[in-house]
Amino acid sequence: MFVCFLLLCSSHSVFAESGYDLWLRYHRIDNTTLYNNYREANGEVIFPGSSDRLNAAKKELRLGLKGLLNIDLNEVQHFSKRGVMAGTPESLPLIAKTSYIDEIKKLDDEGYIIRSVTINGKQVTLIAGKKDIGVLYGVFHYLRLMQTQQSLDNLAIKEEPKLQIRVLDHWDNLNGTIERGYAGYTLWDWQRLPGYIDPRYIDYARANASIGINGTVLNNVNANARSLRTEYLIKAAALADALRPYGIKVYLTARFSAPKEIGGLKTADPLDPSVWQWWKDKVKEIYQYIPDFGGFLVKANSEGQPGPQDYKRTHADGANMMAEALEPYGGIVMWRAFVYENKRNVDRALNGFDEFKPLDGQFNKNVFIQPKNGPIDFQPREALHPLFGSMPKTPLMLEFQITQEYLGFASHLVYLGTLFEETLQSDTYAKGKGTTVSKVLQEYKKTNGISGIAGVPNIGTDINWTGHLFGQANWHAFGRLAWNPDIPVAELAEEWIRMTFSNDANVIKTVKHIMLSSHEAAVDYMTPLGLNHIMNFATHYGPGPWYKDPNWDAWDYHKADETGLGVDRTMKGSNAVSQYKSPIREKLNDIKTCPEQLLLWFHHVPWNYKMSSGRIMWDELVDHYYRGVD
Ligand code: BDP
């Protein structure tokens, strides 16, 4: 045995990996033919310019070529052989000699092209953006082609993000803990900021830029007003400086009562002129430190957080006050729609829609309303949030949870790409059949000038960032879908496997199967057939349908009694179905047409109800649990 081990060590390079490199492992290409082709294609590089972003792009290209191909980036002025050239029309005047110059000029600010072109008789790969950030994105894409062992011949790639604002909402507290974080502590070393810039910030930025994320909300939605104090703004500014070369803007959560808590005012009433002024002054101060500050994320009148309703004002009054302060600087407000009454005998699934739908059209143009994917709370499977498709005048920014609060924390392998896809491709019927959530989100760019998506990340100080190695795939999937919500996730899973593990067909097939079936398995062993929110109280690690206290009772979410199981949200029940457009409403309302995967979400179903399998509901439920565990 020992001899075998020694033999193995001598025949392969054996090294330990921590997972730190994520999907940016630039390991040597193991296919000789490709290795030689790629080396030839990267013989010389023309890459002038020295902005922070172009430098970041060049640094990445250097890192990638060294790792993948053992090439030291060879910068030249003129090609003498096959090579790569990268830049914008400003940084690389040679681009004007290509026939792609018009296409490049027309690109979105973050867009790029990767094209096989001929320059002075030499075959060249052109990586071009309209702006420097596009070049950085293009370089990451180019490296990805090699990491996933694609051909570098006849390239004709054109990419532009389909959503403009693509942010991670960190639920990080100033004391270093992360709400619902299962991978260590916060990355933000507040103690040592602004003086010490942890190199990890740069790797965080690289990882995000590689998948197209362009914003980060540094702190928890359950906000601490202190994060808006000058001392913390200076620290946040240092982070913003570190992330800026990678195209990542910094945002902060804003505690609605901050004018009282740190501003010394007697009220936080959004219609009080002194409160308006306080926010205007605060915003002005923020922009002095962070000139490209992104804006505020706000959780108001939700789960005990302060908000405008404390003063009998509306969400629009509150959001617009902040939006007006931010508008002159180009900042935005992301106002969460995660609100519920927290009362027994009130169907919580109704609250978000009921509160926000009537306010459609009343928000300033730089306000996003941010609903979660479903109306309850990041459950293993949610019915779609009915606000999607119902707020034509107000841009909605979908919020996903990447951290696995209800999906077994960082100890379960659950690939969320499938969950994200299920939501994004859900049909709202807002403008007839085929009005998917993805389309609804994209449409806001045309109608309101802005569009976006947010994810609550699973990232912490663990050496592999996400605790569970496969958690990295969820971060990756979110970013890639934020850039283009319509990429089939089977492709994304494969891309991640190739970049993370191997390009070996067997590895891909095996790991992909595990990934693509993992979410359904988790739904099966957590909350099958539309069950939801029966999780263990407070920790949310696994089901605890027996939990009961005077304020919160799991029974309200499953209603198990002698007649059956599930919550009646039909027209005869809480009527949550009416919040959906026709024909979804009717389909959900009828027990015979309601999809079985949401049956107990919308119906109180007799235990012996005949399911499509021929089994009675109880047997079907048990079967799902066992299937999931298996
Ligand atoms: C719930 C979490 C809680 C968050 C809340 C939110 O349990 O920790 O504060 O969501 O999204 O799922 O605000």
Side-chain angles (χ1 to χ4, degrees):
M1 184 72 166
F2 184 64
V3 177
C4 288
F5 176 71
L6 284 183
L7 276 174
L8 244 174
C9 290
S10 61
S11 62
H12 293 270
S13 44
V14 175
F15 47 88
E17 275 198 80
S18 62
Y20 182 84
D21 290 340
L22 297 159
W23 49 88
L24 301 176
R25 284 165 84 249
Y26 298 129
H27 280 200
R28 199 66 32 88
I29 300 289
D30 56 7
N31 172 318
T32 318
T33 318
L34 278 178
Y35 178 74
N36 291 332
N37 284 349
Y38 290 171
R39 276 179 64 93
E40 199 195 319
N42 289 285
E44 290 177 338
V45 174
I46 296 185
F47 201 152
S50 61
S51 71
D52 287 350
R53 287 181 182 167
L54 289 176
N55 282 343
K58 203 186 295 183
K59 194 173 117 193
E60 201 64 33
L61 187 63
R62 177 169 288 126
L63 207 65
L65 294 185
K66 184 70 191 162
L68 295 165
L69 306 170
N70 197 21
I71 286 182
D72 290 311
L73 185 140
N74 177 17
E75 250 189 280
V76 297
Q77 309 278 336
H78 307 283
F79 287 113
S80 64
K81 51 184 171 183
R82 200 172 160 189
V84 176
M85 64 180 199
T88 65
E90 280 78 47
S91 71
L92 182 67
L94 252 183
I95 288 182
K97 290 203 182 146
T98 68
S99 53
Y100 299 107
I101 182 68
D102 291 335
E103 187 182 10
I104 296 166
K105 284 188 177 157
K106 277 196 213 117
L107 281 171
D108 179 285
D109 278 0
E110 293 178 304
Y112 59 88
I113 61 165
I114 307 178
R115 294 272 186 182
S116 302
V117 298
T118 310
I119 299 275
N120 299 336
K122 303 281 174 314
Q123 244 185 297
V124 169
T125 305
L126 168 67
I127 305 172
K130 180 168 150 193
K131 302 264 184 217
D132 295 352
I133 187 63
V135 182
L136 177 68
Y137 288 148
V139 163
F140 275 116
H141 190 147
Y142 179 65
L143 292 170
R144 188 161 73 223
L145 292 176
M146 291 187 275
Q147 287 178 281
T148 56
Q149 303 198 350
Q150 316 291 307
S151 163
L152 295 185
D153 299 328
N154 306 318
L155 294 173
I157 294 164
K158 177 179 167 195
E159 281 282 337
E160 290 171 308
K162 294 197 173 176
L163 297 172
Q164 273 56 56
I165 295 171
R166 308 176 294 278
V167 290
L168 293 182
D169 292 354
H170 287 265
W171 286 358
D172 294 14
N173 298 313
L174 293 183
N175 69 5
T177 57
I178 304 179
E179 183 155 339
R180 313 302 176 186
Y182 313 102
Y185 291 87
T186 179
L187 297 178
W188 324 130
D189 190 350
W190 295 115
Q191 279 290 328
R192 291 195 283 176
L193 281 163
Y196 175 66
I197 298 299
D198 190 330
R200 198 160 183 172
Y201 304 149
I202 312 300
D203 288 328
Y204 166 85
R206 288 176 53 229
N208 279 323
S210 78
I211 49 178
I213 285 169
N214 66 1
T216 181
V217 183
L218 298 178
N219 49 344
N220 194 350
V221 283
N222 294 322
N224 186 333
R226 277 170 57 216
S227 62
L228 296 177
R229 277 199 171 142
T230 307
E231 59 183 296
Y232 276 99
L233 296 181
I234 293 170
K235 293 167 190 280
L239 278 172
D241 291 344
L243 305 178
R244 190 173 296 110
Y246 291 86
I248 296 166
K249 274 191 186 182
V250 157
Y251 299 73
L252 291 170
T253 52
R255 187 161 160 90
F256 200 78
S257 50
K260 275 164 66 186
E261 289 174 39
I262 60 166
L265 300 190
K266 291 211 171 56
T267 176
D269 182 347
L271 297 195
D272 184 304
S274 65
V275 175
W276 275 74
Q277 195 55 46
W278 188 86
W279 283 107
K280 283 201 166 141
D281 294 344
K282 185 44 82 181
V283 164
K284 187 173 172 202
E285 185 193 0
I286 295 176
Y287 279 93
Q288 276 162 14
Y289 293 111
I290 312 174
D292 57 351
F293 177 64
F296 292 137
L297 169 64
V298 189
K299 172 174 177 178
N301 294 118
S302 162
E303 300 189 324
Q305 292 299 306
Q309 293 174 341
D310 303 351
Y311 305 94
K312 309 233 170 334
R313 313 296 185 200
T314 67
H315 285 289
D317 294 329
N320 291 342
M321 169 186 64
M322 293 188 184
E324 271 201 29
L326 288 158
E327 210 206 301
Y329 309 93
I332 58 156
V333 174
M334 298 170 282
W335 193 270
R336 296 178 89 224
F338 176 65
V339 295
Y340 59 98
E341 287 182 42
N342 217 1
K343 280 194 208 128
R344 296 209 52 198
N345 304 318
V346 172
D347 181 7
R348 171 175 165 181
L350 300 170
N351 294 159
F353 183 95
D354 284 351
E355 283 206 39
F356 283 91
K357 168 74 186 153
L359 297 176
D360 190 20
Q362 294 185 28
F363 293 95
N364 276 34
K365 62 179 197 290
N366 56 335
V367 176
F368 278 102
I369 297 304
Q370 189 175 93
K372 295 183 176 183
N373 51 303
I376 299 266
D377 193 354
F378 294 140
Q379 295 306 291
R381 169 162 283 121
E382 288 261 349
L384 183 65
H385 201 303
L387 276 177
F388 294 110
S390 296
M391 299 280 279
K393 300 191 197 118
T394 312
L396 296 180
M397 180 185 272
L398 167 61
E399 179 182 16
F400 279 127
Q401 194 179 45
I402 311 169
T403 189
Q404 291 172 229
E405 175 179 356
Y406 296 94
L407 286 151
F409 301 178
S411 45
H412 292 208
L413 190 169
V414 183
Y415 182 57
L416 300 182
T418 355
L419 182 160
F420 301 157
E421 183 173 63
E422 184 172 308
T423 305
L424 289 164
Q425 299 308 325
S426 287
D427 201 339
T428 66
Y429 282 85
K431 288 186 177 170
K433 193 170 163 45
T435 322
T436 59
V437 173
S438 164
K439 283 194 184 142
V440 168
L441 296 179
Q442 291 178 48
E443 182 76 10
Y444 289 123
K445 173 80 195 313
K446 285 183 216 137
T447 55
N448 296 60
I450 50 175
S451 62
I453 189 165
V456 180
N458 51 353
I459 308 166
T461 48
D462 275 11
I463 189 68
N464 72 358
W465 303 84
T466 53
H468 200 302
L469 177 64
F470 277 73
Q472 299 181 355
N474 295 334
W475 179 7
H476 169 268
F478 171 75
R480 300 280 285 118
L481 289 169
W483 179 276
N484 177 359
D486 298 323
I487 308 178
V489 290
E491 279 174 29
L492 286 183
E494 177 162 338
E495 175 182 300
W496 180 80
I497 297 164
R498 285 174 180 270
M499 293 167 87
T500 305
F501 293 124
S502 166
N503 281 280
D504 178 280
N506 246 328
V507 174
I508 296 167
K509 188 167 158 244
T510 312
V511 178
K512 198 161 142 183
H513 172 70
I514 296 170
M515 286 169 75
L516 294 181
S517 53
S518 60
H519 173 243
E520 202 58 47
V523 171
D524 277 344
Y525 65 69
M526 294 282 196
T527 49
L529 300 181
L531 282 176
N532 61 85
H533 223 302
I534 55 169
M535 295 307 187
N536 188 310
F537 188 71
T539 72
H540 298 163
Y541 186 74
W546 46 83
Y547 187 82
K548 210 176 177 46
D549 77 26
N551 304 316
W552 196 88
D553 199 320
W555 185 81
D556 294 338
Y557 294 88
H558 60 68
K559 307 252 162 140
D561 62 12
E562 63 281 12
T563 64
L565 175 67
V567 184
D568 186 354
R569 296 192 162 104
T570 66
M571 290 165 191
K572 293 201 189 104
S574 78
N575 200 17
V577 291
S578 69
Q579 297 182 334
Y580 296 89
K581 301 254 174 318
S582 242
I584 312 175
R585 176 191 301 165
E586 292 75 15
K587 193 173 159 195
L588 295 174
N589 190 55
D590 185 344
I591 193 169
K592 294 202 188 64
T593 51
C594 179
E596 284 193 352
Q597 58 180 23
L598 290 173
L599 199 64
L600 304 176
W601 185 294
F602 287 106
H603 295 268
H604 188 65
V605 182
W607 296 104
N608 60 2
Y609 177 77
K610 264 274 171 56
M611 304 291 288
S612 62
S613 62
R615 281 190 282 263
I616 59 168
M617 181 268 280
W618 167 251
D619 287 344
E620 183 75 17
L621 189 74
V622 171
D623 184 69
H624 274 268
Y625 274 109
Y626 276 110
R627 201 190 299 171
V629 171
D630 287 347

